[in-house]
Amino acid sequence: MDPGLFDVKGADVAWCPGCGNFSLLNALKKALAELDVRPERLVMVSGIGQAAKTPHYLRCNFFNGLHGRALPAATAIKAVNPELTVIVESGDGCMYGEGGNHLIHAIRRNPDITCIVHNNMVYGLTRGQASPTSLRGFKTPAQAAGVLHEPFNPLAVAIALNASFVARAFAGDLEETKEILNKAIRHRGFALVDVFQPCVTYNRVNTYQWFREHTYYLEGSHDPTDRVGAFKRALETDKLPIGVFYVNRKPTFEENLPLYRERLEPLSRRGAKMDRIVKLIETIGKS
Ligand SMILES: Cc1ncc(C[n+]2csc(CCOP(=O)(O)OP(=O)(O)O)c2C)c(N)n1
Ligand code: SF4
């Protein structure tokens, strides 16, 4: 399939030239095309922020919700129609800060959705305040003395919660990012992909060059089914590993719902049993 099928013609893109969001968007289009995901079967869900504008620039169905609230909406969309491909895309502030609690519970519930987090270690849309992943000492106009706290480690948290799929990518590497997204979308269960995405305007520390110098790819011998091994790799900070850290196939949120125990076909296609609906309305009427 042609990745151009996802292009939004004449889109007025609000991102700065050179922003890592562009290559991440391209990587996603390529991965979707490789997987033959039709735009009409795709639902993108996001919160608020620069990263959260991604669905505006992709030809598909989308839901742009409140800051940090993408995951519950996406969980519901997938539960209503398990045949859709549902992808959540937002920034590190949106997902790990405002939406942190939702992330924990989405991992626990394990809906079959892919969660892509543009991790630029800064709040881009609101002009450069520190985010949960900003490194200690990072200076901003709001944190003039530098960030005082340890950064949030999304991969370690996800593996500790026994997430179904945990990976990290770097937006500067288009092909490798596409490969990781491809695996994440194919995976059945909640897939978290944290993507290092340079913000060229408000983060002059964690630049493309900085990420190149401070990252490396997990070697082919890394066993993603080894949870303890994956956790150890997620704790590495001298150099930050990139690749698929952990894979754990387990029943999804939808598979656990009694409604879908026998088949994942959406209710809308099963035909209404009018006698049962009438009975239900009568019962409610009497109570
Ligand atoms: C509940 C709530 N708190 C704060 C805001 C203000 N706000 C909007 S976007 C944003 C930061 C977004 O940063 P991030 O999620 O890292 O995405 P980026 O813009 O860097 O892609 C903030 C704090 C808001 N809209 N709603
Ligand atoms: S402010 Fe940063 S994150 Fe936002 S579009 Fe510009 S470079 Fe990208």
Side-chain angles (χ1 to χ4, degrees):
M1 214 167 99
D2 177 9
L5 200 63
F6 295 97
D7 289 348
V8 177
K9 305 278 181 260
D12 184 12
V13 181
W15 295 332
C16 313
C19 176
N21 287 342
F22 286 102
S23 63
L24 186 35
L25 177 62
N26 280 339
L28 179 63
K29 283 182 192 170
K30 282 175 169 246
L32 290 166
E34 266 181 20
L35 294 170
D36 258 329
V37 177
R38 306 284 315 169
E40 63 272 20
R41 313 290 299 160
L42 172 66
V43 186
M44 298 288 300
V45 187
S46 68
I48 305 290
Q50 299 281 43
K53 290 175 187 162
T54 303
H56 305 186
Y57 311 138
L58 202 78
R59 202 173 137 253
C60 64
N61 307 287
F62 76 84
F63 180 85
N64 199 181
L66 295 175
H67 203 32
R69 278 21 175 203
L71 286 170
T75 304
I77 291 166
K78 183 73 184 181
V80 168
N81 186 348
E83 291 180 352
L84 296 170
T85 298
V86 180
I87 298 180
V88 167
E89 196 147 349
S90 265
D92 46 301
C94 196
M95 193 59 66
Y96 304 144
E98 289 80 0
N101 195 31
H102 291 301
L103 177 68
I104 290 171
H105 295 289
I107 291 173
R108 201 169 58 80
R109 292 186 179 118
N110 197 31
D112 180 19
I113 61 183
T114 305
C115 174
I116 303 169
V117 186
H118 297 224
N119 184 357
N120 53 19
M121 303 180 174
V122 75
Y123 280 177
L125 187 71
T126 47
R127 296 169 171 258
Q129 303 88 351
S131 84
T133 53
S134 297
L135 301 182
R136 193 180 258 173
F138 180 67
K139 288 190 179 158
T140 78
Q143 285 81 21
V147 171
L148 304 172
H149 320 292
E150 274 203 40
F152 178 68
N153 184 333
L155 305 190
V157 169
I159 296 165
L161 289 168
N162 208 19
S164 194
F165 181 102
V166 182
R168 179 154 59 203
F170 168 46
D173 293 338
L174 181 69
E175 274 305 301
E176 290 81 355
T177 300
K178 180 216 58 183
E179 273 306 304
I180 292 170
L181 293 181
N182 184 313
K183 285 182 187 156
I185 297 167
R186 255 188 295 142
H187 178 81
R188 190 179 271 194
F190 187 81
L192 175 69
V193 187
D194 181 80
V195 188
F196 287 145
Q197 170 255 311
C199 167
V200 294
T201 302
Y202 295 113
N203 187 341
R204 303 297 175 97
V205 176
N206 309 108
T207 59
Y208 284 92
Q209 191 184 343
W210 187 94
F211 283 118
R212 290 213 185 283
E213 288 167 359
H214 291 81
T215 58
Y216 72 96
Y217 280 86
L218 286 168
E219 46 299 316
S221 56
H222 172 69
D223 175 8
T225 63
D226 171 11
R227 187 174 174 202
V228 173
F231 188 71
K232 281 188 186 154
R233 301 308 284 265
L235 296 182
E236 290 181 18
T237 50
D238 270 358
K239 275 210 165 201
L240 299 151
I242 290 178
V244 178
F245 283 63
Y246 185 53
V247 178
N248 163 34
R249 175 74 182 101
K250 57 183 179 177
T252 64
F253 178 71
E254 306 79 52
E255 285 167 341
N256 278 327
L257 292 176
L259 189 60
Y260 296 123
R261 231 162 246 160
E262 279 161 30
R263 57 198 162 123
L264 280 172
E265 191 184 25
L267 270 190
S268 58
R269 279 212 280 99
R270 291 192 204 176
K273 295 195 173 63
M274 281 318 288
D275 52 329
R276 291 179 66 181
I277 293 173
V278 169
K279 216 171 179 180
L280 181 68
I281 294 170
E282 282 172 0
T283 318
I284 293 168
K286 278 181 204 151
S287 63

